[in-house]
Amino acid sequence: NATIADGCEADDELGIEGTRIGADGAIICSLDKDLLQVPCTHYNFVRRELRRVSPAEGLRNFYEQVLIGDATDNVHGCRGIGKAKAPKVLAECSDEHSYVQATWRAYEAAGQTEQDFIRTCKLLYVQRSRDDQWKPPLDHLLQI
């Protein structure tokens, strides 16, 4: 019963199906940390770890990844921010507005452009439905 991911990444197919099935019914079996932005149950079959990702944790995971980047996918994050600094940048955040503000301020402080920030968000965002993409929730603050 395999499904071929035609026209999108397998990550996106898993994000779409995980959202469709719902957090109480979906279990995403993967080693890919990108998928930890999707609220549902996740199973790491190498570590044999089962964990539930809440919507709040999924949001935090996404913006941490925007700061860190993803070397496997050749997506650069914020200069000078790694796994240790990213949680500190987001420590006071509680909603998407504050995550965008903190993440954008870090990019700006590193001399990166809004285009760098937006491109990274769009590249790292895992779709929740067909034709879904990351859109800045604060378009009045970010010039697109």
Side-chain angles (χ1 to χ4, degrees):
N1 293 327
T3 301
I4 296 173
D6 188 21
C8 70
E9 291 189 31
D11 294 11
D12 292 319
E13 286 289 341
L14 288 170
I16 291 165
E17 280 300 296
T19 302
R20 184 186 68 75
I21 294 168
D24 293 330
I27 300 175
I28 294 178
C29 300
S30 176
L31 305 177
D32 192 340
K33 66 188 176 308
D34 300 358
L35 290 162
L36 294 176
Q37 63 185 266
V38 178
C40 66
T41 301
H42 292 262
Y43 181 66
N44 180 320
F45 50 85
V46 170
R47 294 184 179 158
R48 296 183 178 193
E49 293 176 347
L50 190 68
R51 74 185 260 200
R52 185 172 179 108
V53 173
S54 69
E57 185 182 3
L59 191 62
R60 175 175 288 276
N61 290 340
F62 171 68
Y63 284 101
E64 277 189 15
Q65 189 150 18
V66 170
L67 288 166
I68 297 165
D70 189 333
T72 302
D73 291 333
N74 197 30
V75 178
H76 304 286
C78 184
R79 288 186 204 113
I81 304 284
K83 289 180 184 180
K85 282 189 183 178
K88 294 174 187 173
V89 170
L90 303 176
E92 302 299 317
C93 298
S94 60
D95 59 15
E96 190 150 19
H97 176 89
S98 58
Y99 283 114
V100 170
Q101 289 277 1
T103 307
W104 164 238
R105 279 195 301 268
Y107 269 72
E108 191 174 35
Q112 291 173 274
T113 66
E114 282 179 10
Q115 290 167 331
D116 295 330
F117 171 67
I118 291 168
R119 180 177 48 250
T120 302
C121 289
K122 287 183 176 184
L123 288 170
L124 294 177
Y125 180 79
V126 174
Q127 291 180 323
R128 307 309 194 277
S129 63
R130 301 273 173 234
D131 300 320
D132 184 25
Q133 67 174 338
W134 182 85
K135 295 177 191 86
L138 307 172
D139 55 4
H140 62 283
L141 295 176
L142 297 173
Q143 302 300 314
I144 299 176

